[in-house]
Amino acid sequence: MKVSPAHFTATPEGFLPSQYAQGRWGPDQLNGPAIVGLAAHCLEHDHGSADFQPARLTVDLFKAARGRLTTVRTRLIRDGRRIRNAECDVVQDDVVVARATLVLYRRSAPPPGEQWSASIDFAFPQDLDSSQDPPHPHTGSAGGGWSRKISDHQNNTRTKFVDRSINVLSGQQNSPFVRAAVVAEATSLVTHLGTRGVGYINGDLTVALTRLPVEEWIGVQEDTHWAADGVSVGTATLFDSAGPFGSGMVTAIANPDAQLDFSAETFDGVSL
C-alpha cells in the first residue's frame, strides 16, 4: 500500500524530518509549514478538546531547523472554564528552534445583534485534483489567473494561494486545525511575492481561526503588506468552500542574499 508523503516520521526518540520537510532558504534547512504543522499537531494532541475552538496559534521561528531528530515539549499554561492556554518548544540538539503558543476558547452561541463584516471574494481553481499525492498547489494573482507555477505570478499585484497540505506525521491524517495551520504558513508567500520573487523571510506566523475548515483544500489571499527598513508585516484571509474562516499574519526580515527567484525554475510547490 502506498504511504502518503509526510513532513516527519514519529519514533520513540522524537520526530525525523523527511525530504518533504526540506526548505529552500539554505541547505539542510526545514521549511516553515513543517515546523508550524509539528507544533500545531503536538499542541492539539496534548491539550485540544472537542469543546474548545483553537482560536490563535502563534509560532516564533527562532532559528533555522535542520534535517535531524526533532523533539517537542508541550505544557499547559492555564486551563480555565472558557479559555485554555498552552505552549510548546520545538527542540533540536538541546536548542529551542521554535516556540508556539495556542489559545483555545470554549465554543458557545454568538451574542445578539448584527455587525459589519468585510465582503471578500475568493474563487477556487477549477482543476483541483485531490487524487494527486503530494498535492499540486496553485498560485494566483490579480490579472494572472491561477497556475501551478509561482513564477507566473512574480508581479506587484495581489497574490493568492490554494493547497491541500501533506500530512505532518507519516501514517496520520492531519486534523482540520493542523491543515489550517500548515496552509496558513503560505501567508508569507502571498504577502512577500513580488517582481523579483521572495526576499523576506518570516520569523513567525500567527493563525487566528473562528472555525475549523470544512474540507482539505484551503485558500490564502493577501490582504495587506507593509514594509520599511527591511522589516515587513503581512496579513491574509483563509478560505474554504464555505467562505472565510480565519486570518494569517507574519512579520519578516529582508533576506536579499538568499532571494528566492522562481522565474528560472519549474518548481510548482511552496515549501519555503
Side-chain angles (χ1 to χ4, degrees):
M1 183 177 66
K2 179 182 177 181
V3 177
S4 296
H7 287 125
F8 293 92
T9 298
T11 73
E13 293 76 27
F15 304 98
L16 289 174
S18 74
Q19 64 182 27
Y20 297 101
Q22 292 296 314
R24 304 178 58 76
W25 288 109
D28 193 34
Q29 183 168 329
L30 302 190
N31 62 59
I35 298 300
V36 168
L38 184 62
H41 168 84
C42 292
L43 281 168
E44 183 181 39
H45 178 272
D46 292 351
H47 306 293
S49 166
D51 297 331
F52 282 79
Q53 163 69 31
R56 177 176 63 82
L57 173 72
T58 297
V59 184
D60 291 311
L61 304 167
F62 294 152
K63 62 174 298 182
R66 304 296 180 182
R68 60 194 65 170
L69 184 70
T70 306
T71 59
V72 179
R73 304 187 298 241
T74 76
R75 51 197 172 272
L76 183 66
I77 303 302
R78 181 181 183 274
D79 193 9
R81 184 176 65 87
R82 301 182 66 189
I83 303 175
R84 181 179 297 172
N85 304 81
E87 291 181 345
C88 79
D89 293 333
V90 180
V91 182
Q92 292 187 334
D93 297 330
D94 296 322
V95 175
V96 178
V97 297
R99 176 168 293 157
T101 60
L102 177 63
V103 178
L104 304 102
Y105 295 147
R106 184 177 293 276
R107 294 183 173 93
S108 64
E114 297 180 356
Q115 293 177 271
W116 174 87
S117 181
S119 177
I120 305 176
D121 294 326
F122 187 91
F124 280 79
Q126 297 297 311
D127 57 344
L128 295 176
D129 186 352
S130 296
S131 67
Q132 293 175 327
D133 206 12
H136 292 163
H138 287 62
T139 307
S141 59
W146 289 103
S147 73
R148 289 182 48 209
K149 293 179 64 178
I150 298 175
S151 58
D152 292 341
H153 308 281
Q154 286 196 178
N155 53 50
N156 62 351
T157 66
R158 191 181 196 183
T159 307
K160 52 191 176 181
F161 182 77
V162 167
D163 197 10
R164 176 177 63 86
S165 64
I166 67 171
N167 293 332
V168 171
L169 297 184
S170 180
Q172 297 188 36
Q173 293 295 315
N174 289 339
S175 70
F177 169 61
V178 172
R179 289 202 305 269
V182 172
V183 179
E185 214 277 339
T187 298
S188 184
L189 173 74
V190 300
T191 60
H192 294 131
L193 184 63
T195 59
R196 299 280 297 275
V198 176
Y200 288 93
I201 185 168
N202 58 308
D204 62 23
L205 169 69
T206 294
V207 186
L209 304 174
T210 61
R211 61 173 175 83
L212 298 177
V214 298
E215 60 202 0
E216 292 186 329
W217 290 101
I218 295 173
V220 183
Q221 181 166 259
E222 177 183 12
D223 288 331
T224 63
H225 173 246
W226 314 114
D229 301 323
V231 177
S232 79
V233 177
T235 63
T237 298
L238 309 180
F239 294 84
D240 59 15
S241 62
F245 65 89
S247 298
M249 185 184 82
V250 294
T251 65
I253 188 168
N255 194 33
D257 291 340
Q259 184 98 3
L260 296 179
D261 186 348
F262 300 96
S263 60
E265 305 181 20
T266 59
F267 179 71
D268 56 14
V270 69
S271 299
L272 303 182

